Structure formats: C-alpha cells, structure tokens
Amino acid sequence: MTTTAAEPAVRKNSSGAAPPGTPRRRTGRIRRIGLPYLLLLPALVLELLVHLVPMVIGIVMSFKQLTQFYIRDWGTAPWSGLDNYQVSVDFDAPVGEALLHSFLVTVGFTLLSVGLCWLIGTAAAVFMQDTFRGRGLLRTLFLVPYALPVYTAVITWVFMFQHDNGLVNHVLHDQLHLTDQPSFWLIGDNSFWALLTVSVWKGWPFAFLIVMAGLQNIPGELYEAAALDGAGMWQQIRRITLPSLRPVNQVLVLVLFLWTFNDFNTPYVMFGKAAPQAADLISVHIYQASFVTWNFGTGSAMSVLLLLFLLLVTGVYLAVTSRGRRTADA
C-alpha cells in the first residue's frame, strides 16, 4: 500500500495544529502588534482628560460673554463671537494696551532669562568636563536649585528680597555699600530684575544638566587632535564644542523658551495676584483678567491668543533650525 505525500500534512492537521496562514495565527499577530497601543491607552485617555478637554472648553469659553453672572452655569452664557478677541487686540483701549504691555514685558523677560540660563549652564558644563577633586560635590550643588520645590525656593527668595531685613539689601547696602539706601525689590522697576534673578537661578541647572549630557557624546580624540594642532581652549569651544552641541541646544532653547514664557508659579508666588507693572508677565495678566475681574471670556480669548503665538514661534523655530541642520549636513 502506497502512502501519498499529503498524508503527513493530514496527520499534522488531525492532531489539532493550525496550518500556516490560518485566522488563528493572524489573530495572534494582531494581538502582538496592538499590545503596545493598548498599554499606551490609559496614558492617552488621561492626556485627553487633563489637557485636551480643558483646552477645548477654554476655546469655547473664549466665544462666550462669560462673566461672574454666568459662572454657576457657564453653558448658558450668551455667545459673543469674536468680541473677546477684538477687545484683547484693541491696543488703543485699556484692556488691549495692558495686554500688549504685558506681552512686551514677557518677551524681554523670556529672552534675558533663556539667554542667561543657557550661557551659565553651558559655561558650568564645560568647566565640569575637567577632572578635579570635589567635582561630584559641585555637580550636586549645581542641581540643587532645579531639585528644590518651586514654592519653597521662591518664598525663600522673597524673604531675601525684603526691604528692611532681607539678605540682598544687607549684602549690597550694609556690607558692600553699592547702594545709597536699601532698595525695594518686590515693587517698582526693581521687581523685573528680582523676578529675572529668581528665574535664572532656578532655570540654569536644567541647561547645565542637558549640556553636560550632550558633552558626553563628543569624542575626546577631537580635543586631543585640536590641541596637537595648536588650538586653544576658546578655539576648541568654538570649533568643536558648540557645533557638536547644536542639536542639543536647539531643543534646549525651545524648551526653556516655552517654560519661561508660560511660567506662572514664580511671579505669582513672588508678587501675588497683583504683579507690579514692570514684572507683569502675561501668565499672571491672564489670571488677573479671568479670576480677579471675573471676565472669563476675555481671559480665555487671551489664552487662545497666547497658544497661537507659541505655536507660531515653535513652528518657525523648528523650520529654521531644520533648514540650518540640513544646510550644515550638506
């Protein structure tokens, strides 16, 4: 009796094993592919609840005449169309003029803060590349301002900026005699510099940490070859360090810009609900327009305008840096 070639396949199928290409195997492949997305689903749902849903509600509120009279049931507030946006961008009117002033103050504050944070952080990271005794301790101390809770750090600075018994006036006026009389740091024009000092103090360790991580990827042979060719320290930084750190700095500057421009905790803890005019950052200004004057429609319109501005700046920045990177690679 002869056995056909199909008999092994028949026996294999009769034992219960599924042949290749069956729906059961395809189902297992789909499960393996869909498992990562299934694990990400809780995070995506929370992201929608925490960020996207309030953002959509805020956009809807910007088209409503939402004041304290409708706060109990904001859905019944009448539609105002683009009136809130027109009031916000009318720079000849008091509301628009105040918003423009706050925007300009925020731009100047952000540029100074980001520039100083990057400069101090980069200088400290380059300095820490050399091996010396106590380097680990110094690295830890440099990261203390970044590790401290924001409220604790800012409240400590508020006590230091006090007019009568603050440490800043004690050092500048009583010990170094740099000022004729103790200065008011939390009111007037000095409030801008006080806010800038706190922002740089708590922001530069992040730049230090990121730049120091980026320096680890630069081969030491490049510096050795440059030193053999007679290049000094400044030439090595200019020709090797900064070009190698360009991708890191592009991301770092963007993150610092967004964080600083949107910073609410620092000015609010320092000055409270009513920030001085010299330190009237746009985040606190929008808070005042919404929760102090109880005009939530105008405050929401200002928030949407701020969002559009940050999206525009981010898009332009990414386009310019991507083009520059392609040009450098070519």
Side-chain angles (χ1 to χ4, degrees), residues 139-285:
R139 285 181 173 179
T140 303
L141 293 177
F142 284 172
L143 294 177
V144 168
Y146 181 69
L148 283 176
V150 176
Y151 290 92
T152 304
V154 176
I155 290 175
T156 303
W157 274 101
V158 170
F159 283 111
M160 293 172 62
F161 281 126
Q162 292 297 321
H163 176 264
D164 297 327
N165 53 5
L167 179 62
V168 176
N169 279 334
H170 177 70
V171 173
L172 296 179
H173 177 69
D174 299 337
Q175 294 185 347
L176 300 180
H177 305 288
L178 297 178
T179 58
D180 297 334
Q181 57 184 357
S183 303
F184 290 94
W185 292 101
L186 299 178
I187 59 175
D189 295 337
N190 289 333
S191 59
F192 178 86
W193 304 109
L195 181 61
L196 180 64
T197 301
V198 177
S199 177
V200 173
W201 178 82
K202 71 182 186 65
W204 78 265
F206 176 76
F208 163 73
L209 185 65
I210 299 301
V211 174
M212 188 172 60
L215 290 174
Q216 306 302 318
N217 296 324
I218 303 178
E221 293 80 4
L222 295 178
Y223 294 101
E224 296 175 359
L228 292 176
D229 292 338
M233 181 184 66
W234 294 110
Q235 290 179 332
Q236 293 179 16
I237 293 176
R238 180 183 177 185
R239 302 293 183 181
I240 299 176
T241 305
L242 293 180
S244 300
L245 289 176
R246 184 176 296 140
V248 175
N249 284 329
Q250 289 174 354
V251 178
L252 174 62
V253 170
L254 179 61
V255 172
L256 286 176
F257 174 82
L258 296 176
W259 282 0
T260 307
F261 209 97
N262 283 319
D263 189 15
F264 173 81
N265 295 328
T266 303
Y268 184 80
V269 175
M270 287 189 67
F271 308 117
K273 297 180 180 180
Q277 190 175 13
D280 185 23
L281 298 188
I282 196 168
S283 57
V284 180
H285 187 85

Side-chain angles (χ1 to χ4, degrees), residues 54-77:
M55 185 185 302
V56 174
I57 294 176
I59 294 174
V60 174
M61 289 170 57
S62 67
F63 295 100
K64 284 178 169 289
Q65 190 179 350
L66 184 58
T67 60
Q68 68 270 27
F69 302 107
Y70 301 98
I71 193 61
R72 188 165 185 171
D73 188 6
W74 68 273
T76 60

Side-chain angles (χ1 to χ4, degrees), residues 116-135:
L116 290 174
C117 286
W118 177 85
L119 182 61
I120 298 174
T122 302
V126 172
F127 173 73
M128 285 296 169
Q129 288 302 107
D130 296 331
T131 303
F132 55 90
R133 180 174 295 181
R135 184 178 67 167

Side-chain angles (χ1 to χ4, degrees), residues 23-90:
R24 182 179 298 177
R25 175 166 297 186
R26 287 195 296 269
T27 303
R29 188 182 299 113
I30 293 174
R31 289 178 179 177
R32 289 195 301 271
I33 295 175
L35 180 60
Y37 298 98
L38 183 62
L39 295 176
L40 288 175
L41 185 60
L44 293 176
V45 172
L46 290 177
E47 184 73 17
L48 292 175
L49 294 177
V50 174
H51 292 286
L52 187 58
V53 173
M55 185 185 302
V56 174
I57 294 176
I59 294 174
V60 174
M61 289 170 57
S62 67
F63 295 100
K64 284 178 169 289
Q65 190 179 350
L66 184 58
T67 60
Q68 68 270 27
F69 302 107
Y70 301 98
I71 193 61
R72 188 165 185 171
D73 188 6
W74 68 273
T76 60
W79 286 91
S80 61
L82 298 177
D83 291 345
N84 293 324
Y85 293 92
Q86 293 176 356
V87 171
S88 300
V89 299
D90 186 5

